[in-house]
Structures are given as C-alpha cells and as structure tokens.
Amino acid sequence: MVARVAMIMGVFDGAGRSQRLDQVVSNTGLPRSSVHRILTQLHDARLLDHGPDGYCLAASTISGNGDHSLLRSAASPMLERLNADTSLVVHLGVLSGANVVYLDKVSGSSGVAVPTRVAGHTPAHASALGKAMLATLPAEVLDGLLGPTLPKSTPATIGDLPTLHQELARIRSRHGLAYDDQELAVGLASVAAPITMVGNEVAGLSLTGAISAQRLTRVAPFLTRAARGITERIGRGGAAITRGTNVTDDMLSRVLRTLSSDDWV
C-alpha cells in the first residue's frame, strides 16, 4: 500500500499541475479502482487538492514552513518558458535550514532523469540551487546551519565548510549565479540564481541537464532574467508581467530556440 501511495504521489512532479484520474492510472499502471481509492484518501488527508481539471498537490504538501502559493504562482509561467526555451529541467526551491525544499519542477520532454521531486529535500551545499541560496546568508548564519564536515552526495560534492565558504564567495562575485558539476548527481550539471523575497525567506531557480557546467553558461542570462522577473511579480502580488517584458521574452526565446544544445558554445 505504501509503495502504491508513493508511486501516485510521484506522478505529481509539479506544484499546481493537475492530473486527471485516467492520467494517474496511465502513468502508474495501477488498477483504476485502486488509484481512485488512494486519490480520495490523499484528498481527504489534504495532501491533494481536487478541482475541475483533476488532482494536484496541496499547498501544505509542498513545505511545512508556510504557504508559498504567491511564489509558485508568480514563478509558474517563468518555469514553463525556461523549460520550453532550453529543454532543461527547471526547479523552483526555498531554503529550509540546511536543505533545499523543491516547490516546483518542470521536466518537459527532455527525458533526463533528475533525482528530485516536488516537496522533496536535498542538501543545500550539494547543488547549484542550494548554493545560490546559501550565498545570500551571512557567514555566521551559515556556520550555525552547517557543521565543519558536510555529507557528500557524489565524489564532487563539497565536503567541508571552508571550501564551501570559498565557493559562496565566488558565487557572490558573479552576482548570485551558482553552478554545480555532478555535485548532486553523477552525470548532471546545474546553474542557479537566487530570487529576492520579502522577509527572511530565501528562494531560488535552477536549470539542470546532462551537460557540462561550462555549457550552462550560455543559458545563465535567461535564468537570471527569469529570477528577476519572479522577484518583480512577487512585488506586485503575482500580477502579470508587462507587455514590454513579454515582447522581450518572445524575442529572446525565438533566438534561443534557433540554437540546438550543441550550438550553445
């Protein structure tokens, strides 16, 4: 039973994205009656919301640290655009202690398996997304969150606090842009940028793919522009971006779409 629940929850890899009953059945291969019963139980437990378009993750499922509905709403069109433009996996996350909590993930049709899921946690020091957010913290706060020895997810993961401090200094010198090269998962690289939030909350946005970190430098400007756009939308309470910004987005998107991933460098 637990395995079936986990399988069904794994279908919902994007916050706010609805899945109909028949879609969940198709994606899991489970009997329709079992899927319907489990979906009903998850809805009753307030882990899923149920609307006209089907089921989706409830806001309370995403993170226990508060309601991130405004952030997710402001970011949603940016995530879709980044995924369509780059064919890379897009993550939206917040910092929770020493971990990244994933609020949203857009995989699209890239076919790349990234070991993350919405509402899941990974060590912040082991990914570009986490490092981009950690770089916004004062050194004394960081020292309070992390111990002198850091757990390694792969052989490339930073394993000690002094080395992490050096890496975060480099990230600050790049105005918050962070990279990881196979630090969270072997064969995957990421680029990330922080999102400015109101109060003490720290959020970030990342692109991940089975390519080298060096090649990600070509799409980094699109990422930082999207992060700024999300910050602006949050400041306007999630209001739609202006027409001028849309025109700019469309022009840049057309340019990027004319380049294959092999032409980025």
Side-chain angles (χ1 to χ4, degrees):
M1 180 64 178
V2 173
R4 291 188 171 193
V5 171
M7 187 180 298
I8 289 175
M9 289 297 289
V11 170
F12 299 94
D13 70 342
R17 286 173 178 72
S18 296
Q19 297 274 350
R20 298 187 307 274
L21 173 60
D22 58 334
Q23 291 175 308
V24 179
V25 171
S26 175
N27 288 329
T28 61
L30 297 174
R32 184 182 181 89
S33 59
S34 298
V35 171
H36 183 265
R37 182 177 67 256
I38 293 172
L39 287 174
T40 301
Q41 292 171 344
L42 291 171
H43 176 254
D44 291 343
R46 299 183 180 179
L47 295 176
L48 295 178
D49 289 332
H50 188 203
D53 296 327
Y55 296 86
C56 66
L57 289 174
S60 59
T61 308
I62 303 302
S63 172
N65 296 330
D67 182 7
H68 297 100
S69 56
L70 175 59
L71 172 59
R72 291 187 288 118
S73 175
S76 181
M78 304 289 189
L79 306 187
E80 297 288 353
R81 173 60 62 85
L82 279 172
N83 177 257
D85 288 346
T86 67
S87 298
L88 297 172
V89 177
V90 188
H91 290 105
L92 174 70
V94 293
L95 194 63
S96 177
N99 294 308
V100 173
V101 178
Y102 296 95
L103 301 184
D104 208 343
K105 175 181 178 181
V106 183
S107 300
S109 58
S110 65
V112 176
V114 179
T116 56
R117 63 179 179 82
V118 174
H121 299 67
T122 58
H125 69 278
S127 69
L129 181 56
K131 291 187 295 183
M133 295 189 286
L134 289 176
T136 67
L137 302 178
E140 59 272 16
V141 174
L142 186 69
D143 291 343
L145 288 176
L146 304 171
T149 302
L150 306 174
K152 282 180 168 283
S153 300
T154 74
T157 307
I158 294 174
D160 62 87
L161 198 54
T163 303
L164 179 62
H165 275 298
Q166 294 173 5
E167 172 69 1
L168 297 182
R170 286 190 288 269
I171 291 169
R172 296 184 190 104
S173 72
R174 295 193 295 261
H175 305 287
L177 202 61
Y179 294 89
D180 83 70
D181 193 354
Q182 306 189 74
E183 294 174 42
L184 183 63
V186 174
L188 297 177
S190 298
V191 58
I195 297 170
T196 303
M197 301 289 291
V198 177
N200 296 323
E201 190 170 48
V202 184
L205 187 66
S206 72
L207 294 170
T208 301
I211 58 178
S212 69
Q214 181 182 7
R215 294 177 66 181
L216 286 173
T217 60
R218 296 298 180 181
V219 295
F222 291 85
L223 183 71
T224 54
R225 182 171 51 85
R228 287 196 300 269
I230 294 170
T231 296
E232 293 171 1
R233 296 191 76 189
I234 292 172
R236 293 194 294 268
I241 52 181
T242 63
R243 182 179 181 276
T245 304
N246 276 328
V247 171
T248 303
D249 283 351
D250 289 341
M251 292 173 63
L252 290 173
S253 295
R254 285 199 296 271
V255 170
L256 187 57
R257 286 171 182 171
T258 63
L259 302 177
S260 70
S261 59
D262 290 335
D263 293 329
W264 285 351
V265 287

